[in-house]
Amino acid sequence: MAAELPSEIMCDILSRMPVKSLARFRCVSKLWCNYINNPYLEIMYAKRATVNEPMLIMFSQFPSDHPNSPCMLSYLEYTAEEEEEEEEEEEEEEEEEDTSYMEEEEEEEKEEETFTLQVNTKPPVMEFLCKSVTYRYPNDIVLGCCNGLLYSSKGHCDDNTLFVIHPLRKECYELPPINIRNSYLRISVEETCGLGFDYSNNTFKMVSVVLREHVSGPNFYQVNEGIYTMVHVLGTDSWHKIPQVPSYPITGEGVFANGCLHWLISNERYGDHSPYLGRRVVSFDVTNEKFGLINAPHGRPCGLVTEQLVDLHGEVGYVYHIVNHSVEVWVLKKRGWVMHCEFDQKWPLPHGGIKVLGFWNQNGDVLMTDKWKEIYVYNLESDSLDQAYFVGWEEKAAIDIRLYQISLFTTRNWINNLKKK
């Protein structure tokens, strides 16, 4: 039947299917595989803005003194505890005897609810060589994501080699290195990157903002001459420098949404008026290759505060974490910032830093982790906090946990198409 239908109709039908189903359909026949690997279908699927339930993935790596070491990618699967199911059955029986008593018990159970995450490590989804978490970048293995592609770094001493991976397709593409010690950069630098998609010509672009020297204090606003913007189009063999630079040094993960990359400005002592403005957001239009500036949702709260940008189902999220007090989550809409939720940092959340990973589901529940890589979920409807427990992973391995929005995009098609031009 597939051979009798025009390719446009087949792509239209397949673009309405879940990504996981399409991944299985590729094995039906060579014809179906060609349809699903067609870049036209990828573009159509992306334009439909079909939001699939995100997957929770784990990157594990054993400590190493070498710059690079093997990294394993594994999926995390949600499983309900058998004890919790038995308790629910007992509660249903008791509810017939004492309804009012059970209403109180149910409220207590919501506050103490837990769930488990099974780590599928045998075999892992894929293995690749990346920077050692103890060597150059002490925090995250993954630097960011865009349209189903994740990117990381090998972090050599004289240059920084980035690479892009697609977990669902098990593909890996290495970018040409950025030679950060060259004639016009001269000095050791700080580098912040981000991956975006140019919808005008259907290409992925890696953007790297390089700061020639560390600047702080009163000179923070006057560093344009020390900042360089490098752009790489996936499928080409080099980086090119563009004249546009951000107004301020940037830091953190670049969040791609609505055709733009977004970063926080660096957390430095950048003026007495900064607490009133808060840490603003630097945007980069991937198509026009121009920078912009977006105000923070509000001024900086009192106390010890950390800010974070996060991808919230394709929208930019801004997180204020007043350490050991509360968490605010804002979402950038067309009309400006809109508060999504606010909750107290109470049990089971630990003391100290918290990182928001994104929305756990379509209901907007917030998934979080801490420095010990424990997982917590804030339930928006019940205003409650739950904790997850891991089963089946090595405690000695350094891990990075992320929400992964699965996608049809593949590195292979875009690279091959560019090389043909």
Side-chain angles (χ1 to χ4, degrees):
M1 180 181 294
E4 300 175 359
L5 293 176
S7 59
E8 293 81 3
I9 296 178
M10 281 296 298
C11 287
D12 183 74
I13 295 173
L14 294 173
S15 68
R16 303 172 189 272
M17 303 296 294
V19 174
K20 286 184 178 180
S21 298
L22 293 176
R24 294 193 296 267
F25 293 165
R26 294 171 69 239
C27 302
V28 172
S29 67
K30 185 176 181 179
L31 179 62
W32 278 50
C33 184
N34 291 336
Y35 277 127
I36 295 171
N37 286 341
N38 191 335
Y40 177 74
L41 176 61
E42 298 176 2
I43 298 170
M44 181 181 292
Y45 199 97
K47 288 183 177 180
R48 287 192 183 279
T50 303
V51 178
N52 299 277
E53 286 288 350
M55 302 173 64
L56 199 57
I57 57 177
M58 170 187 287
F59 296 82
S60 57
Q61 183 185 59
F62 287 93
S64 172
D65 294 331
H66 299 285
N68 302 317
S69 59
C71 181
M72 294 189 302
L73 187 158
S74 306
Y75 290 141
L76 300 179
E77 293 184 357
Y78 167 83
T79 56
E81 294 182 349
E82 295 181 359
E83 294 181 359
E84 185 178 336
E85 294 177 356
E86 294 175 358
E87 289 176 2
E88 290 177 355
E89 293 177 359
E90 293 176 0
E91 289 173 0
E92 290 178 359
E93 295 176 357
E94 294 175 4
E95 185 175 6
E96 298 177 358
E97 301 176 359
D98 191 349
T99 304
S100 61
Y101 172 76
M102 279 308 305
E103 288 178 354
E104 296 178 358
E105 285 294 310
E106 288 174 358
E107 290 297 324
E108 294 177 3
E109 278 297 314
K110 287 181 180 179
E111 296 180 357
E112 300 178 358
E113 186 178 359
T114 61
F115 59 97
T116 60
L117 292 169
Q118 178 70 40
V119 184
N120 295 326
T121 59
K122 298 180 179 180
V125 175
M126 64 183 300
E127 295 186 16
F128 53 91
L129 196 66
C130 70
K131 61 181 172 22
S132 173
V133 292
T134 58
Y135 176 70
R136 183 173 178 180
Y137 297 90
N139 297 318
D140 300 327
I141 294 174
V142 177
L143 303 180
C145 61
C146 172
N147 288 355
L149 302 184
L150 306 173
Y151 54 98
S152 185
S153 167
K154 290 188 176 179
H156 298 299
C157 295
D158 295 328
D159 55 58
N160 186 17
T161 302
L162 299 167
F163 61 93
V164 175
I165 58 176
H166 193 305
L168 194 62
R169 293 180 180 268
K170 300 182 181 181
E171 297 173 354
C172 185
Y173 166 67
E174 184 173 303
L175 280 65
I178 309 173
N179 297 318
I180 61 176
R181 295 176 183 267
N182 55 34
S183 58
Y184 59 83
L185 293 182
R186 303 177 189 172
I187 311 172
S188 298
V189 297
E190 298 176 9
E191 178 191 351
T192 304
C193 60
L195 181 65
F197 189 76
D198 186 347
Y199 291 99
S200 67
N201 54 19
N202 299 320
T203 57
F204 283 96
K205 291 182 180 179
M206 182 69 77
V207 181
S208 180
V209 178
V210 184
L211 181 61
R212 185 175 64 183
E213 57 184 322
H214 183 75
V215 180
S216 61
N219 294 325
F220 187 83
Y221 279 121
Q222 304 169 2
V223 293
N224 295 57
E225 295 182 358
I227 296 181
Y228 298 87
T229 306
M230 309 292 292
V231 176
H232 170 77
V233 179
L234 262 65
T236 61
D237 56 3
S238 63
W239 294 76
H240 67 275
K241 180 186 174 185
I242 63 174
Q244 289 76 21
V245 296
S247 302
Y248 314 106
I250 58 177
T251 188
E253 179 178 332
V255 176
F256 179 73
N258 300 318
C260 295
L261 281 162
H262 304 79
W263 298 272
L264 283 173
I265 65 173
S266 294
N267 189 15
E268 299 281 350
R269 297 172 54 188
Y270 41 79
D272 294 336
H273 61 289
S274 60
Y276 304 100
L277 294 175
R279 289 181 67 186
R280 288 182 281 183
V281 177
V282 171
S283 64
F284 179 79
D285 189 309
V286 176
T287 299
N288 299 324
E289 297 188 348
K290 293 183 178 179
F291 287 94
L293 197 60
I294 303 172
N295 288 330
H298 57 70
R300 214 169 201 192
C302 297
L304 178 59
V305 181
T306 61
E307 298 95 339
Q308 173 201 348
L309 293 186
V310 61
D311 185 344
L312 298 177
H313 278 181
E315 296 182 303
V316 181
Y318 196 114
V319 179
Y320 290 99
H321 176 212
I322 308 174
V323 180
N324 299 331
H325 183 270
S326 62
V327 177
E328 295 179 17
V329 180
W330 295 74
V331 181
L332 183 60
K333 303 289 186 178
K334 289 184 178 180
R335 63 182 184 273
W337 294 104
V338 177
M339 177 177 278
H340 176 72
C341 65
E342 180 181 9
F343 53 91
D344 295 332
Q345 186 174 351
K346 59 183 180 181
W347 189 90
L349 294 178
H351 290 283
I354 294 172
K355 179 182 179 181
V356 173
L357 298 176
F359 286 156
W360 175 240
N361 49 35
Q362 301 294 334
N363 298 328
D365 296 343
V366 179
L367 190 73
M368 297 164 285
T369 186
D370 57 17
K371 66 179 181 180
W372 296 282
K373 302 302 180 182
E374 300 289 344
I375 294 293
Y376 309 90
V377 176
Y378 170 71
N379 188 292
L380 191 64
E381 182 178 2
S382 63
D383 188 28
S384 62
L385 290 161
D386 306 323
Q387 182 176 2
Y389 294 93
F390 291 107
V391 176
W393 69 286
E394 297 283 349
E395 294 187 1
K396 294 182 180 180
I399 61 173
D400 185 10
I401 301 172
R402 298 190 67 91
L403 275 176
Y404 172 62
Q405 188 64 54
I406 55 180
S407 170
L408 277 182
F409 282 104
T410 171
T411 59
R412 186 178 298 125
N413 284 335
W414 303 109
I415 294 168
N416 291 339
N417 289 340
L418 280 171
K419 289 182 177 179
K420 292 176 182 178
K421 293 181 179 179

